[in-house]
């Protein structure tokens, strides 16, 4: 039942033109645009080496947070969650199915983004396996925050809030603009954002050839625990 529901969730995401634009097309356009045109000074090295890890982080945020928050918020408003909760598929099974669907879509995103980045001349360094725990923990952190928003706010407020957060974190999370371009006092605060931790961790292991990204994983773990605990306590199914 979980796999069947996960399949339905995946099909719904891929058939939704607006969500497909958010999760795949916009990241690809940003990757190509900021990698080929000197819109921002990213320092020494190839531009795509800086941009590609940030776009991978953006893809995780767009699917696990923005897309999931909006979809779940409207499902709650229209009573879809209430009806699904009354089926043999338990509420835990429903959340598990949503998680499987998010991970599956993210896997597709990673394949496409990496392929485009390699075509643009990206040359990853270090052990890419360290990127796996970053992506998984980033997914958990953003999923918790997305469910927290969708389970407490009205659907319209979730739609507006999720898109606003997406744009703010895109600009302030180090995805396209280096954090060292911000004032020193602000850099430390921005570095604690989940998108900043995920982006910096991916750059460390994929662009700088670094090892275990302990600091980034710790920040993401804190966001994961806080988001999921608050979501579990406040989520309303109706």
């Amino acid at each position: 039942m979980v796999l069947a529901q996960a399949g339905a969730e995946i099909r719904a995401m891929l058939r939704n033109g607006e969500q497909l634009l958010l999760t795949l097309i916009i990241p690809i356009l940003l990757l190509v645009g900021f990698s080929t045109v000197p819109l921002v000074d990213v320092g020494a090295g190839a531009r795509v080496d800086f941009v590609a890890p940030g776009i991978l982080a953006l893809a995780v945020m767009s699917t696990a947070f923005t897309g999931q928050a909006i979809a779940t918020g409207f499902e709650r408003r229209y009573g879809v969650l209430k009806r699904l909760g009354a089926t043999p598929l338990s509420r835990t099974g429903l959340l598990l199915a949503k998680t499987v669907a998010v991970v599956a879509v993210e896997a597709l995103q990673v394949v496409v983004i990496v392929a485009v980045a390699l075509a643009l001349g990206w040359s990853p360094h270090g052990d890419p396996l360290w990127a796996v725990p970053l992506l998984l923990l980033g997914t958990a952190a953003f999923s918790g925050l997305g469910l927290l928003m969708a389970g407490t706010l009205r659907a319209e407020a979730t739609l507006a809030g999720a898109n606003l957060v997406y744009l703010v974190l895109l600009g302030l999370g180090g995805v396209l603009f280096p954090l060292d371009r911000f004032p020193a006092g602000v850099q430390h605060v921005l570095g604690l954002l989940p998108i900043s931790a995920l982006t910096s961790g991916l750059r460390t292991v994929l662009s700088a050839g670094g090892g275990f990204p302990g600091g980034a994983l710790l920040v993401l773990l804190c966001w994961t625990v806080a988001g999921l605990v608050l979501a579990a306590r406040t989520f309303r199914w109706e």
Side-chain angles (χ1 to χ4, degrees):
M1 288 188 294
V2 170
L3 292 178
Q5 181 62 30
E9 298 278 349
I10 294 171
R11 289 190 294 272
M13 280 191 259
L14 296 180
R15 289 172 180 170
N16 188 324
E18 295 177 355
Q19 193 157 338
L20 187 62
L21 175 69
L22 178 70
T23 58
L24 193 58
I25 298 177
I26 289 179
I28 292 298
L29 292 177
L30 291 174
L31 172 62
V32 174
F34 280 82
S35 296
T36 56
V37 181
L39 300 173
V40 180
D41 180 13
V42 298
R47 300 185 62 80
V48 68
D49 290 344
F50 174 86
V51 176
I55 296 300
L56 287 172
L58 180 67
V60 171
M61 181 177 73
S62 65
T63 302
F65 172 71
T66 312
Q68 183 169 220
I70 294 172
T72 305
F74 279 95
E75 285 176 352
R76 185 168 70 89
R77 175 186 175 181
Y78 294 127
V80 175
L81 293 183
K82 180 181 179 181
R83 294 186 183 93
L84 287 174
T87 66
L89 178 65
S90 66
R91 292 183 173 184
T92 300
L94 175 60
L95 294 179
L96 181 57
K98 285 184 173 292
T99 301
V100 172
V102 166
V103 172
V105 172
E106 285 180 357
L108 174 62
Q109 289 175 295
V110 169
V111 170
V112 174
I113 290 171
V114 169
V116 173
L118 292 174
L120 292 171
W122 185 33
S123 179
H125 303 284
D127 187 353
L129 289 179
W130 285 123
V132 176
L134 283 167
L135 293 173
L136 291 177
L137 203 53
T139 298
F142 282 117
S143 291
L145 295 174
L147 292 174
L148 174 63
M149 179 177 287
T152 54
L153 301 178
R154 292 170 56 91
E156 293 80 4
T158 299
L159 174 63
N163 282 311
L164 177 60
V165 171
Y166 177 88
L167 292 175
V168 170
L169 294 185
L170 173 62
L172 301 180
V175 175
L176 300 172
F177 309 99
L179 290 182
D180 58 14
R181 299 295 187 269
F182 294 93
V186 178
Q187 292 179 28
H188 299 293
V189 177
L190 296 180
L192 296 177
L193 296 173
I195 187 64
S196 302
L198 181 56
T199 300
S200 63
L202 290 173
R203 285 202 181 105
T204 297
V205 300
L206 296 177
S207 296
F212 179 70
L217 289 173
L218 179 60
V219 172
L220 291 173
L221 178 61
C222 292
W223 280 101
T224 297
V225 173
L228 292 178
V229 168
L230 289 174
R233 291 183 176 182
T234 61
F235 192 91
R236 299 194 304 269
W237 291 80
E238 302 178 20

